[in-house]
Amino acid sequence: MNETIRKKYETWLRAADDEEIRAELMEMFGAEVQIEDAFYRDLSFGTGGLRGVIGAGTNRMNIYTVAKASQGLADYLKSRAASPSVVIGYDSRIKSDVFAKTAAGVFAANGISVYIWPELLPVPMVSFGVRYLGASAGVMITASHNPAKYNGYKVYGADGCQITTEAAEEILAEIESLDIFEDVKQTGFDEGLADCRIRWISDEVYTAFVEAVKSQSVLFGDEAKKDVAIVYTPLNGAGLKPVTRVLREMGYTNVSVVEEQKEPDGCFPTCPYPNPEIKEAMALGIEYAKRNKADLLLATDPDCDRVGIAVKNRQGEYELLSGNQTGLLLFDYICSQRKKHGKMPEDPVMIKTIVTMDMAEQIGAHYGVRTVNVLTGFKFIGEQIGRLEQQNKADSYIFGFEESYGYLSGTYVRDKDGVNGASLICEMFSYYAAHGIGLLNKLEELYQMYGYCLNTLHSYEFEGSAGFETMQVIMSRLRRGILAFGEKKVIRLLDYAPGLDGLPKSDVLKFLLEDHCSAVVRPSGTEPKLKLYISVSAGNRQEAEEVEKQIEETIDSIKRLFLQ
């Protein structure tokens, strides 16, 4: 075993006093592969904060790594503000409440005022709380839609946006300067509550968030069929209370909830991978939809910042819509309603990520809306909203979305909002239902107007230290160039690593192919995965699927080459 790894393990054996962590460390004794995976690196901290498997070790999410990150963030905040404060939230994941209280205790011990949500709530409510309470930063304990074994630590700046690359690097420097057992200040959570260094966030802030979401309606008095049958599942996450409250207050009268996925449960017993992008996660919801003869199935992920939907097709079967399809429908709906009622701002702006369907730009051009493209990650959309605000043009922003089921139509938060997305989807659906139009019919209408498009996402898992190295090797090979993906020649390779088009440096490759097709490859910033985004323009669906298959097979062949 590597000597550095062995010493780290032995240090934890001596210094860790948490009984659960100690038991896991003892179970590792003699298991070199397990020890290496748990200690070969420190859990990486970036613009997405921390994310990793729950367990003992420096490469794991536990009370010690959470406390160390919190101490680093505390030192960063104290060097920049006289009286810093932090808003903390958490979702339904295993140990989310424990990690939230651990972080609160560290901040309180450092003289930082803490405002913590009294119950699990969606991640956008941390962004909202930071802005509403004028806090210096926000922390959300979540691993979004990852499997149950994961948790994470997401950090927001004073503007309610996820931290920038520069801020992440400065916070990381503070974290890396600390000894995980010697340099972390801590106080008990109850002690912090007693002397008011830690305070619960009031219902006033919750209500203000709900009102902000409701204000995003673009019906403007138009008729909508609000008795449509809606089945909703929060996938055992944080969405239940805010989503059902907003829909109820917006007048939807026929909403039922999937019972087995209603209550928070970090084990996600009915959907091991609680991601509304995944068909299996929606399976129980579709069963409920069939049983209740529902018109619309709605699902939010565990931290309620993503929304997935299913609607009936011509055969009466429930068909899942992709994040791209839902985003295009929402964008067109918002534009058409604003234009119809004279509510379009003077210089309207839509912001999307570079891996999101390019048809959005065509829709924007049709309505006179300017498109801004940013790197993958909603934080970059939030950053652009902030720039508009600095120019006194926040009202120009009308919509932002990413292919991974994230949507936002207002500036009240700086992250994707599943509550806002759910509300808008239900409004759009009920508006079209009142006019005898289904979402699939509307989507077909958009295809007829702008051409058929197919966007898909493929993920390749690479676990452990060896997997991490393999990902780096594959990216290095791709950077050397590829002549063609299947029958589509590569016209141009865009490498975002050195920075491109004014965007920050990022480990992303975009291959522009013939006939308005493209392939984007990047390592995930939060999971041990390599992601492939394929965009195909074609005459019809069958042609598009054939081209898409060829592009995927090209990447598959390269992956297999390095896994032999």
Side-chain angles (χ1 to χ4, degrees):
M1 186 191 303
N2 178 284
E3 184 67 14
T4 301
I5 292 174
R6 185 182 65 78
K7 286 182 178 179
K8 281 185 181 181
Y9 171 67
E10 290 174 349
T11 298
W12 276 61
L13 271 176
R14 288 193 305 271
D17 55 7
D18 178 79
E19 289 185 12
E20 194 173 331
I21 294 294
R22 284 195 60 78
E24 187 175 341
L25 289 168
M26 292 303 295
E27 285 178 11
M28 287 183 193
F29 191 79
E32 293 192 3
V33 174
Q34 278 185 268
I35 293 171
E36 179 181 344
D37 193 47
F39 288 95
Y40 81 92
R41 65 171 184 166
D42 287 351
L43 202 60
S44 60
F45 183 94
T47 56
L50 300 173
R51 191 174 298 187
V53 174
I54 301 165
T58 58
N59 187 35
R60 297 286 186 265
M61 282 292 296
N62 53 64
I63 58 171
Y64 301 106
T65 52
V66 166
K68 182 181 179 182
S70 300
Q71 183 64 55
L73 177 56
D75 292 340
Y76 170 83
L77 293 174
K78 288 191 296 181
S79 70
R80 285 159 176 78
S83 303
S85 58
V86 175
V87 167
I88 298 177
Y90 59 95
D91 67 5
S92 65
R93 286 185 170 274
I94 296 168
K95 295 189 178 295
S96 280
D97 57 340
V98 174
F99 295 158
K101 289 178 179 180
T102 297
V106 172
F107 293 130
N110 281 273
I112 294 174
S113 298
V114 178
Y115 302 95
I116 185 168
W117 285 104
E119 59 182 330
L120 56 90
L121 287 169
V123 64
M125 294 182 73
V126 169
S127 175
F128 183 84
V130 168
R131 294 176 62 79
Y132 190 91
L133 296 168
S136 310
V139 170
M140 178 71 185
I141 306 298
T142 179
S144 189
H145 55 283
N146 285 166
K149 66 180 181 179
Y150 285 85
N151 212 326
Y153 182 103
K154 202 170 184 179
V155 182
Y156 291 84
D159 57 355
C161 188
Q162 287 183 61
I163 52 173
T164 63
T165 302
E166 181 183 358
E169 289 173 352
E170 292 175 1
I171 296 168
L172 176 60
E174 297 283 2
I175 294 170
E176 289 181 333
S177 71
L178 301 169
D179 181 281
I180 196 166
F181 294 111
E182 300 293 333
D183 297 335
V184 179
K185 299 176 184 177
Q186 289 182 292
T187 191
F189 183 79
D190 291 337
E191 182 185 337
L193 278 177
D195 60 21
C196 294
R197 286 178 292 170
I198 301 174
R199 299 175 186 172
W200 298 117
I201 296 174
S202 70
D203 283 344
E204 170 200 326
V205 187
Y206 192 150
T207 299
F209 171 80
V210 168
E211 292 302 317
V213 172
K214 289 160 59 179
S215 72
Q216 299 308 308
S217 170
V218 290
L219 269 179
F220 303 125
D222 280 353
E223 180 187 0
K225 195 175 186 297
K226 292 195 173 182
D227 62 349
V228 292
I230 301 167
V231 167
Y232 168 60
T233 171
L235 296 178
N236 297 118
L240 178 65
K241 290 186 178 181
V243 170
T244 55
R245 176 176 171 178
V246 166
L247 294 183
R248 183 175 62 253
E249 293 184 12
M250 294 287 282
Y252 297 92
T253 58
N254 192 4
V255 180
S256 57
V257 180
V258 176
E259 193 64 32
E260 295 91 334
Q261 298 172 340
K262 181 177 181 180
E263 298 301 329
D265 187 340
C267 292
F268 309 115
T270 62
C271 52
Y273 198 46
N275 182 353
E277 299 178 56
I278 306 299
K279 187 176 182 180
E280 290 74 15
M282 303 287 276
L284 190 57
I286 288 175
E287 282 184 30
Y288 261 71
K290 289 177 179 177
R291 195 181 313 159
N292 290 274
K293 297 180 180 178
D295 301 303
L296 172 67
L297 169 64
L298 193 69
T300 52
D301 68 340
D303 60 351
C304 195
D305 61 356
R306 301 168 193 255
V307 193
I309 66 171
V311 296
K312 285 183 182 177
N313 59 24
R314 290 189 181 93
Q315 290 73 42
E317 297 295 322
Y318 287 91
E319 185 172 323
L320 300 176
L321 271 67
S322 71
N324 273 308
Q325 291 171 325
T326 303
L328 293 174
L329 286 165
L330 284 172
F331 181 42
D332 181 76
Y333 169 70
I334 290 168
C335 287
S336 63
Q337 284 296 101
R338 281 182 171 273
K339 187 172 182 179
K340 175 182 174 183
H341 291 276
K343 300 288 187 178
M344 193 69 86
E346 188 175 328
D347 178 27
V349 174
M350 182 273 293
I351 308 170
K352 73 174 190 68
T353 59
I354 58 173
V355 298
T356 299
M357 194 178 278
D358 293 332
M359 188 197 289
E361 295 191 44
Q362 295 174 264
I363 294 173
H366 175 75
Y367 289 104
V369 178
R370 178 164 57 94
T371 299
V372 175
N373 283 291
V374 297
L375 291 176
T376 308
F378 217 91
K379 57 182 168 283
F380 296 112
I381 294 177
E383 192 176 87
Q384 290 294 324
I385 297 172
R387 290 180 183 177
L388 289 171
E389 189 175 54
Q390 290 168 7
Q391 300 165 13
N392 294 316
K393 291 182 178 181
D395 289 343
S396 291
Y397 174 80
I398 63 169
F399 192 55
F401 79 110
E402 58 184 2
E403 49 71 42
S404 55
Y405 295 60
Y407 318 104
L408 179 66
S409 67
T411 61
Y412 59 98
V413 293
R414 296 297 155 83
D415 206 348
K416 52 186 175 286
D417 181 3
V419 188
N420 170 229
S423 174
L424 276 176
I425 288 165
C426 290
E427 177 179 302
M428 172 178 67
F429 186 93
S430 61
Y431 170 80
Y432 286 135
H435 296 81
I437 303 170
L439 291 190
L440 293 177
N441 300 127
K442 187 64 185 179
L443 190 60
E444 190 60 37
E445 182 184 309
L446 293 179
Y447 287 150
Q448 288 174 4
M449 184 176 295
Y450 303 108
Y452 188 84
C453 287
L454 175 66
N455 275 52
T456 60
L457 167 63
H458 304 269
S459 295
Y460 307 93
E461 291 197 23
F462 296 88
E463 295 283 358
S465 57
F468 180 79
E469 290 176 9
T470 301
M471 280 199 293
Q472 304 307 308
V473 171
I474 291 173
M475 289 298 291
S476 177
R477 166 63 187 86
L478 291 173
R479 277 196 166 83
R480 295 205 299 270
I482 294 177
L483 294 177
F485 285 74
E487 296 179 359
K488 298 294 182 184
K489 293 180 181 177
V490 175
I491 298 172
R492 187 182 176 195
L493 169 59
L494 303 177
D495 186 350
Y496 290 87
L500 196 65
D501 298 332
L503 299 175
K505 297 176 182 178
S506 186
D507 191 9
V508 179
L509 298 172
K510 184 168 186 175
F511 295 87
L512 301 180
L513 313 179
E514 292 177 303
D515 304 320
H516 304 289
C517 300
S518 67
V520 178
V521 185
R522 72 175 182 93
S524 170
T526 56
E527 303 170 88
K529 291 181 178 180
L530 203 62
K531 294 194 170 187
L532 167 65
Y533 304 81
I534 299 173
S535 180
V536 177
S537 294
N540 55 54
R541 181 170 182 167
Q542 184 177 347
E543 290 177 15
E545 288 177 347
E546 180 58 35
V547 172
E548 191 271 347
K549 184 180 179 182
Q550 292 177 11
I551 294 173
E552 182 192 0
E553 287 174 348
T554 301
I555 294 294
D556 273 343
S557 64
I558 294 172
K559 183 193 74 169
R560 287 194 298 271
L561 184 66
F562 292 100
L563 291 178
Q564 290 176 352

